[in-house]
């Protein structure tokens, strides 16, 4: 347990530490800034990863460690070893993967290593939309079958590892002020439900809980494309849907900077990139908010840093003080920027805190 309940204005524990084991990826998704990322590609040393976990263990400063900022963590050669090390230290770990390498052997190894949760970023649920993934040498048929097999394996065994399959919807592209007009995945609730139903049937049919399908379909019938949805298949298997944003292209243009708004970064999640650089939040793919490196500064001292504290204090007052954050919460026009600033407060302080869990 922590000695204090907070460090300055930051309440402890911080919900999530995003620990980037690697920023190398085998996909090149159109809705991800991977192809635009200019920072060096690499992998965190196993020694650094274990040192970070050593600090977290018993400190009470971090609730959950996610092995992801950018990159595909299953490409990291010591993934299972690091996950097992975290488990031995009593640290809950979540892995976000595109699912391309999540075969049954790796799934079993991660389950044995004590991984708390695996999030499969399926996102593009059919062959047409899968073309957005830039998955060289991998067909949608093989990809889908591997994810379905992993889901069925979770249903069969008694492992404590949760599996969440993530889908995207793109209703915002049809608004007057579009966020992602170039991405068409599930533009309306009818299409989203169609995808969810198909995947639920493919996963549940032939299993010992196939009789649960009608209850799952009732949940799916209440899903809406314009909100986050969580569909419970079992206590360890679920679907999650979210709206695609403009993460990949947002910084390609000059934005009208935000002055007001809210972001849970720093207060609810921080990141450590593969080279040890700290970032304010999990969306800073380029490391623009880095003011320190783990080789020089502990997590506790980073949270005490005056710049970190000033930025977090500003968000508590709905003031955006950091230049990068101002660009992130801004938009291409004064109207769009204003809508986004107000929307950030409404979304994170109201809607996000009461998500639809069906």
């Amino acid at each position: 347990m922590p000695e204090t309940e907070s460090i300055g204005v930051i309440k402890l524990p911080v919900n999530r530490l995003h620990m980037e084991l690697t920023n190398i990826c085998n996909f090149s998704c159109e809705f991800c800034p991977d192809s635009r990322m200019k920072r060096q590609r690499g992998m965190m040393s196993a020694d650094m990863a274990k040192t970070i976990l050593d600090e977290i263990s018993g400190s009470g400063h971090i609730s959950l460690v996610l092995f992801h900022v950018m990159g595909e963590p299953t490409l990291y050669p010591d993934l299972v070893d690091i996950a097992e090390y975290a488990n031995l230290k009593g640290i809950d770990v979540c892995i976000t993967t595109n699912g391309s390498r999540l075969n049954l052997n790796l799934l079993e190894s991660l389950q044995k290593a004590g991984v708390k949760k695996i999030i499969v970023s399926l996102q593009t649920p059919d062959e047409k939309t899968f073309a957005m993934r830039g998955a060289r040498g991998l067909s949608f048929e093989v990809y889908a079958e591997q994810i379905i097999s992993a889901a069925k394996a979770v249903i069969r065994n008694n492992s404590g590892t949760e599996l969440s399959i993530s889908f995207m919807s793109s209703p915002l592209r049809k608004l007057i002020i579009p966020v992602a007009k170039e991405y068409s995945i599930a533009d309306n609730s009818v299409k989203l439900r169609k995808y969810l139903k198909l995947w639920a049937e493919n996963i549940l049919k032939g299993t010992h809980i196939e009789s649960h399908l009608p209850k799952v379909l009732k949940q799916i019938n209440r899903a809406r494309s314009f909100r986050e949805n969580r569909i419970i298949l079992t206590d360890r298997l679920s679907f999650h849907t979210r709206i695609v944003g403009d993460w990949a292209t947002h910084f390609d243009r000059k934005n009208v900077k935000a002055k007001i708004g809210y972001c849970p970064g720093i207060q609810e999640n921080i990141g450590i990139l593969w080279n040890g650089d700290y970032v304010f939040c999990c969306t800073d793919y380029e490391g623009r908010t880095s003011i320190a490196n783990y080789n020089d500064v502990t997590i506790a001292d980073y949270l005490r840093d005056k710049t970190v504290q000033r930025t977090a204090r500003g968000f508590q007052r709905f003031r955006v003080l950091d230049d990068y954050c101002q660009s992130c919460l801004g938009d291409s026009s004064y109207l769009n920027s204003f809508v986004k600033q107000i929307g950030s407060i409404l979304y994170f302080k109201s809607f996000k805190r009461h998500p639809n869990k069906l």
Side-chain angles (χ1 to χ4, degrees), residues 112-247:
K112 288 181 177 178
V115 171
K116 180 179 178 64
K117 187 173 185 178
I118 299 172
I119 300 173
V120 177
S121 292
L122 170 65
Q123 315 300 16
T124 51
D126 63 7
E127 186 171 5
K128 181 180 178 180
T129 55
F130 183 68
M132 297 181 185
R133 307 304 294 274
R136 296 174 292 275
L138 179 64
S139 70
F140 175 74
E141 183 180 4
V142 172
Y143 175 66
E145 182 54 41
Q146 182 160 273
I147 295 174
I148 291 169
S149 295
K152 287 179 179 290
V154 169
I155 291 172
R156 284 195 304 270
N157 63 41
N158 294 317
S159 165
T161 302
E162 299 174 36
L163 182 69
S164 177
I165 302 176
S166 180
F167 298 76
M168 276 184 175
S169 61
S170 56
L172 292 176
R173 78 187 194 96
K174 291 193 171 183
L175 292 180
I176 296 173
I177 305 175
V179 171
K181 61 183 178 181
E182 61 270 43
Y183 308 130
S184 176
I185 300 177
D187 295 344
N188 55 57
S189 298
V190 173
K191 289 182 181 179
L192 180 62
R193 293 182 201 128
K194 178 181 176 182
Y195 287 137
L196 293 172
K197 178 181 178 181
L198 178 62
W199 277 82
E201 290 174 345
N202 286 336
I203 289 171
L204 293 179
K205 285 186 175 180
T207 70
H208 68 279
I209 60 167
E210 184 175 346
S211 60
H212 292 187
L213 184 58
K215 292 182 179 180
V216 173
L217 294 180
K218 285 183 179 180
Q219 295 180 64
I220 292 173
N221 286 336
R222 295 195 295 269
R224 299 290 184 273
S225 64
F226 204 83
R227 69 186 184 193
E228 291 190 25
N229 301 275
R230 189 176 178 219
I231 313 296
I232 308 298
L233 283 77
T234 75
D235 60 344
R236 293 186 180 88
L237 178 63
S238 63
F239 292 164
H240 176 253
T241 80
R242 65 184 183 87
I243 299 171
V244 63
D246 64 346
W247 188 35

Side-chain angles (χ1 to χ4, degrees), residues 53-100:
L53 296 172
D54 285 339
E55 181 185 347
I56 294 171
S57 177
S59 71
H61 292 161
I62 304 293
S63 290
L64 179 69
V65 173
L66 291 89
F67 290 152
H68 182 69
V69 176
M70 292 292 288
E72 170 51 44
T74 61
L75 295 173
Y76 187 72
D78 298 315
L79 175 61
V80 174
D81 179 55
I82 296 301
E84 186 175 33
Y85 188 84
N87 186 51
L88 291 173
K89 291 287 182 176
I91 299 169
D92 288 336
V93 163
C94 174
I95 295 172
T96 299
T97 172
N98 58 35
S100 64

Side-chain angles (χ1 to χ4, degrees), residues 276-337:
D277 284 347
Y278 287 99
V279 288
F280 283 176
C281 68
C282 59
T283 63
D284 183 7
Y285 64 89
E286 202 68 272
R288 294 186 179 99
T289 61
S290 179
I291 58 172
N293 187 281
Y294 184 77
N295 290 307
D296 307 312
V297 178
T298 65
I299 294 172
D301 286 341
Y302 172 73
L303 294 175
R304 293 187 186 98
D305 183 271
K306 61 181 182 180
T307 300
V308 172
Q309 288 286 319
R310 176 178 178 269
T311 304
R313 187 180 298 110
F315 279 125
Q316 289 181 359
R317 299 170 180 171
F318 305 122
R319 303 292 296 175
V320 187
L321 303 179
D322 179 79
D323 183 71
Y324 175 82
C325 299
Q326 289 177 350
S327 295
C328 186
L329 284 176
D331 214 314
S332 57
S333 71
Y334 285 100
L335 177 58
N336 287 18
S337 182

Side-chain angles (χ1 to χ4, degrees), residues 13-31:
V14 175
N15 288 349
R16 307 185 307 279
L17 170 67
H18 291 260
M19 189 168 135
E20 183 185 78
L21 296 179
T22 181
N23 65 342
I24 299 169
C25 191
N26 57 341
F27 276 22
S28 183
C29 301
E30 293 178 14
F31 45 81

